[in-house]
Amino acid sequence: MNYITNYNYNALMNLGGICFMVQHGYYFVDKYLQRFEKYNQLPDSKKKYVIKNFIKSTMLLLISTTLAKPLTYPAIMHDQWNNRLIHLTGGLYTANDLVGLIMVKDLPKSTKAHHIITTTLCLLSFGIDFQHSELGKMMFVYTLASCNAYLVNFYLGARHIVEKAKLESVRLYSRNIYFVCCMMNWGWHLLWITNNYSIVNFGHMIYFILLFWIIKDDLILLSWLNNTMLRL
């Protein structure tokens, strides 16, 4: 009952508004990308996949450059967790995944699972008080760390409209940044488990089960970025 009473319904409305803007953003990004010959030759589903990744890259960049500092500094230095800003960040992070599930056909199964889980966790997070929830803090760390890998989504979209040879340095930077983000993320979670195993409860177990599928998708993408060969 307390969870329902404390649920941030304004954050839910914000998520709906952000989804609305993201969906309409598909139109404007499509108009811009029509100047690329290779883009115009893509099937509709692939065009939307490209658009989805460009929009997500932009939104992750926005989070990592504008919201990261006002969120992380108070949390690290003063143990102050701003629920309003964290819920807004969750909405910005999740909106593109949610819209992508609707707009983009033929997404890989691992990507669909990733998007469904991130959306589920985002909706659940709106009822969490991050100041007093260890589970909420873990969700926040994973989300914010993932935002710093925005270059990966840029590469995923750009590879379909730009010659791969011109993007090789982008691929390498994407792989390296993604690897560092994942290592820091997984390392932080393992450290938390090591130091707090005595307080792990049912909610934590559900979170770790869901996290398994996100990590699985991370590993698939890391492997793909590492093994992608140029086709000259």
Side-chain angles (χ1 to χ4, degrees):
M1 183 61 68
N2 287 336
Y3 179 83
I4 297 176
T5 303
N6 296 328
Y7 196 86
N8 188 346
Y9 295 98
N10 287 331
L12 188 62
M13 294 178 62
N14 289 338
L15 174 61
I18 297 169
C19 287
F20 178 82
M21 290 188 291
V22 169
Q23 183 181 12
H24 282 74
Y26 273 62
Y27 171 81
F28 295 104
V29 177
D30 173 69
K31 288 295 184 183
Y32 175 80
L33 293 177
Q34 287 177 16
R35 66 185 64 190
F36 294 92
E37 182 179 353
K38 291 185 68 175
Y39 176 81
N40 294 321
Q41 297 172 355
L42 295 173
D44 185 63
S45 60
K46 189 64 68 176
K47 287 180 179 179
K48 289 181 178 177
Y49 175 82
V50 171
I51 294 171
K52 166 188 171 295
N53 277 290
F54 280 144
I55 292 178
K56 182 165 187 176
S57 178
T58 302
M59 295 185 76
L60 296 185
L61 176 62
L62 173 68
I63 293 172
S64 62
T65 55
T66 63
L67 292 176
K69 185 176 180 179
L71 284 171
T72 56
Y73 183 81
I76 294 173
M77 300 302 296
H78 307 293
D79 192 29
Q80 295 177 353
W81 300 77
N82 188 319
N83 285 317
R84 183 180 62 83
L85 271 182
I86 292 174
H87 290 159
L88 174 61
T89 301
L92 287 169
Y93 181 90
T94 305
N96 188 69
D97 290 353
L98 179 55
V99 173
L101 286 170
I102 300 170
M103 299 287 290
V104 184
K105 308 300 180 183
D106 303 322
L107 281 173
K109 290 182 179 180
S110 60
T111 302
K112 282 185 178 180
H114 187 146
H115 290 355
I116 290 171
I117 291 170
T118 55
T119 300
T120 301
L121 290 175
C122 176
L123 293 174
L124 291 173
S125 75
F126 292 160
I128 292 177
D129 179 2
F130 286 81
Q131 186 64 49
H132 302 102
S133 172
E134 292 295 326
L135 177 59
K137 291 173 183 177
M138 284 193 288
M139 293 168 61
F140 169 78
V141 168
Y142 209 102
T143 300
L144 202 61
S146 299
C147 290
N148 290 290
Y150 53 83
L151 191 61
V152 174
N153 291 97
F154 175 83
Y155 175 75
L156 290 176
R159 66 195 171 102
H160 292 287
I161 62 175
V162 179
E163 293 180 13
K164 290 184 178 180
K166 296 180 180 179
L167 292 172
E168 181 63 1
S169 61
V170 177
R171 179 185 72 84
L172 293 174
Y173 279 120
S174 298
R175 180 200 62 186
N176 296 341
I177 293 171
Y178 198 33
F179 177 77
V180 171
C181 289
C182 286
M183 290 299 101
M184 293 178 64
N185 223 335
W186 302 338
W188 190 92
H189 278 71
L190 288 173
L191 183 63
W192 185 93
I193 294 172
T194 302
N195 293 332
N196 300 280
Y197 64 89
S198 60
I199 65 170
V200 172
N201 56 32
F202 180 74
H204 294 111
M205 295 303 296
I206 295 298
Y207 170 72
F208 290 132
I209 291 172
L210 293 175
L211 197 61
F212 166 80
W213 295 102
I214 295 179
I215 293 175
K216 180 181 178 182
D217 188 50
D218 288 335
L219 290 171
I220 290 172
L221 183 51
L222 268 174
S223 177
W224 179 82
L225 286 169
N226 189 55
N227 296 318
T228 296
M229 302 298 294
L230 289 174
R231 295 179 182 178
L232 299 177

